[in-house]
Amino acid sequence: MGNGDVSTDVSPQDGGHGQPVQAPPALPLDFEGFYLGHQEFFHDFSEIHLGSRRVAEQVVHQVFLEILGGWDELLQQGDLEQQTLSVLHRCVTRRLEEDGRSPAFLINGPIAKNLEAVRSQLELSNSAGGLYEAILELPTRQFTVIVLRHLLGYPTKRIARYMGLDSRTVDYHGRKGKERLRIRLGLPTAPGKDKKGAGQ
């Protein structure tokens, strides 16, 4: 039987109501593996921006439909992790624009508390204004590393796996993101960190 054939697993006791049960279309195995490995991360990333698990689930559903629609092409292009992260970022941003609001981590209480903790993790003074806006202005990879590491608490290896990067590259983007935040916020270099130590 093909994928579109009517299922014969319907019990006469179920009543059937004359509605044939269609088997769901078969998904590519590599896509299923990608979905299972990334859906938790996609939901967490979306929820931290959208502020609601329900809305995050709606957006992530659309993200995976878009990825599935271009799956073969994405595989041929290479850089699958970056391509799919771009789809996620675009869909979340589009939803925020449709709703006419800022990302939830600017307005959600628990996430706002996490951002306060980020100030100390990034060695930023409590008086540094505009931290939230500065994070939003980071380049995509730096933004993603800062959000995953400092807001969601993901370890470097997990971030590296989701972003398709080497752990050292993740650390590099984390350092560059912190440096860009300091410059953007007009803060001095942290004590004890000179140019010689900055490259280590």
Side-chain angles (χ1 to χ4, degrees):
M1 283 188 143
N3 287 336
D5 292 336
V6 175
S7 170
T8 57
D9 294 334
V10 181
S11 166
Q13 295 175 341
D14 292 339
H17 303 293
Q19 297 294 322
V21 177
Q22 297 288 332
L27 297 173
L29 282 177
D30 46 6
F31 175 81
E32 285 189 35
F34 177 85
Y35 172 82
L36 292 172
H38 288 74
Q39 61 92 15
E40 179 187 358
F41 158 58
F42 276 31
H43 280 98
D44 286 349
F45 185 91
S46 297
E47 186 176 3
I48 203 170
H49 288 79
L50 300 168
S52 158
R53 191 68 176 186
R54 183 185 58 78
V55 176
E57 287 172 355
Q58 293 171 357
V59 170
V60 170
H61 179 72
Q62 291 302 315
V63 169
F64 278 114
L65 285 178
E66 186 173 331
I67 291 170
L68 178 61
W71 184 247
D72 291 335
E73 186 179 337
L74 286 169
L75 289 177
Q76 290 171 4
Q77 289 177 357
D79 203 9
L80 179 65
E81 304 294 340
Q82 289 305 310
Q83 296 282 352
T84 54
L85 227 122
S86 177
V87 174
L88 173 64
H89 196 272
R90 184 173 65 250
C91 288
V92 167
T93 302
R94 184 170 58 221
R95 180 58 184 259
L96 287 169
E97 288 171 354
E98 287 171 2
D99 292 351
R101 63 188 179 89
S102 300
F105 64 74
L106 301 186
I107 54 178
N108 182 301
I111 294 173
K113 288 179 183 174
N114 286 349
L115 274 167
E116 287 303 316
V118 169
R119 291 182 185 278
S120 62
Q121 292 171 358
L122 299 181
E123 297 169 5
L124 300 173
S125 74
N126 283 332
S127 62
L131 171 61
Y132 311 150
E133 294 79 6
I135 290 175
L136 288 173
E137 292 171 6
L138 290 172
T140 302
R141 287 189 176 185
Q142 293 173 19
F143 169 82
T144 303
V145 171
I146 293 294
V147 168
L148 295 184
R149 178 176 283 168
H150 297 288
L151 297 185
L152 292 175
Y154 283 17
T156 299
K157 286 185 179 178
R158 191 176 183 192
I159 298 171
R161 187 172 76 246
Y162 290 139
M163 294 184 71
L165 301 173
D166 184 89
S167 292
R168 290 171 296 185
T169 307
V170 169
D171 287 338
Y172 169 79
H173 287 302
R175 286 194 307 272
K176 295 302 283 184
K178 284 165 39 173
E179 179 183 334
R180 190 178 289 257
L181 287 173
R182 281 197 192 93
I183 293 169
R184 167 72 171 75
L185 298 171
L187 299 172
T189 303
K193 292 192 176 181
D194 54 23
K195 288 183 181 176
K196 190 186 236 180
Q200 294 175 350

